[in-house]
Amino acid sequence: MRAKIIEKASDMFLTLGAKSVTMDDIANELGISKKTIYVHFKNKTKLVEAVVFEVFETVCNGIDCVCNTAENPIEELYQIKVLVMEYLHKKKASPQYQLKKYYPDIYRRLNLKQFEKMHVSIRESLQKGINMGLFRPDLDVDLVSRFYFNGMSGIRDSDYFPHEIFNMEYLMESFLEYHLRAITTEKGLHILNEHLTSNQS
């Protein structure tokens, strides 16, 4: 039952926003009593926490699969973008904004875990790209991985990139191109341009 509660709450939080969804709403959707939810979660904050870190682990597993199967680090970044966009497809709420505003402690801990995961993942990807001759050999891998994390985090901030003006997919596409054009060799740029051309047609 705990897993079912998390799954339903996750869908509702992402669609409607964690702040606006009540424990009653979740119980009604599942056809159970609110008391059943409280057997597993002592309050809504604990449920939000469980949902947030369950989603984080799910996305991390998906990213690991992409990293293990992608043809090269350039395709890897675009496949990860597709994975994230598919997960958020048709979701109307802004989970990052709501967490930051209403559950700042959970947001802070999530941000740290995201950094730990992405910092390692991006460093490995950058080094792989250097070894394949796709990324510049003079890159400061540690620094660039931090630039990348900060940039990806930044474009999700609706204070600076309002959703009424900027579509998230457009933001991610633009940031990836911006990032890759800064670090690719001529060989890497050729692969990037091929990717961009094939996805425009």
Side-chain angles (χ1 to χ4, degrees), residues 78 81-82 84-85 88 151-152 155-156 160-179 196 200:
Y78 280 101
K81 186 221 76 167
V82 170
V84 172
M85 290 310 301
L88 295 177
M152 268 297 179
I155 63 172
R156 296 200 303 269
Y160 301 109
F161 298 95
H163 300 313
E164 316 85 67
I165 302 174
F166 299 103
N167 172 279
M168 183 50 67
E169 184 157 11
Y170 172 72
L171 282 173
M172 290 185 77
E173 282 282 342
S174 299
F175 178 73
L176 283 178
E177 184 177 351
Y178 175 83
H179 167 72
L196 294 173
Q200 285 172 355

Side-chain angles (χ1 to χ4, degrees), residues 1 7 12 21 31 37 41 47 61 71 82 86 89 101 104-105 112-113 120-121 133 136 140 144 146 152 189-190:
M1 180 52 70
E7 183 180 0
M12 295 178 75
V21 175
I37 298 179
F41 306 97
L47 176 56
N61 290 338
E71 191 174 325
V82 170
E86 281 179 354
H89 184 56
K101 185 172 183 180
D105 180 61
L112 284 172
K113 286 181 77 70
V120 171
S121 178
R136 297 191 344 250
D140 183 332
V144 173
R146 291 169 190 268
M152 268 297 179
L189 186 59
H190 177 71

Side-chain angles (χ1 to χ4, degrees), residues 59-166:
V59 173
C60 283
N61 290 338
I63 289 172
D64 288 342
C65 287
V66 168
C67 293
N68 290 332
T69 58
E71 191 174 325
N72 60 65
I74 295 172
E75 290 299 328
E76 179 181 298
L77 287 176
Y78 280 101
Q79 286 176 29
I80 289 171
K81 186 221 76 167
V82 170
L83 174 78
V84 172
M85 290 310 301
E86 281 179 354
Y87 195 84
L88 295 177
H89 184 56
K90 294 181 180 176
K91 305 302 182 188
K92 297 175 184 174
S94 173
Q96 292 281 126
Y97 173 79
Q98 293 227 341
L99 275 182
K100 187 176 181 180
K101 185 172 183 180
Y102 300 112
Y103 301 94
D105 180 61
I106 296 173
Y107 174 82
R108 182 186 58 79
R109 286 187 288 128
L110 174 65
N111 209 45
L112 284 172
K113 286 181 77 70
Q114 286 175 332
F115 174 72
E116 289 166 4
K117 172 65 180 176
M118 282 185 67
H119 188 49
V120 171
S121 178
I122 295 301
R123 280 174 61 184
E124 290 175 354
S125 179
L126 288 168
Q127 192 58 57
K128 193 194 309 181
I130 291 170
N131 296 342
M132 293 176 73
L134 304 179
F135 298 156
R136 297 191 344 250
D138 61 338
L139 288 182
D140 183 332
V141 169
D142 184 66
L143 182 64
V144 173
S145 68
R146 291 169 190 268
F147 282 163
Y148 181 84
F149 176 80
N150 200 49
M152 268 297 179
S153 299
I155 63 172
R156 296 200 303 269
D157 192 325
S158 58
D159 287 336
Y160 301 109
F161 298 95
H163 300 313
E164 316 85 67
I165 302 174
F166 299 103

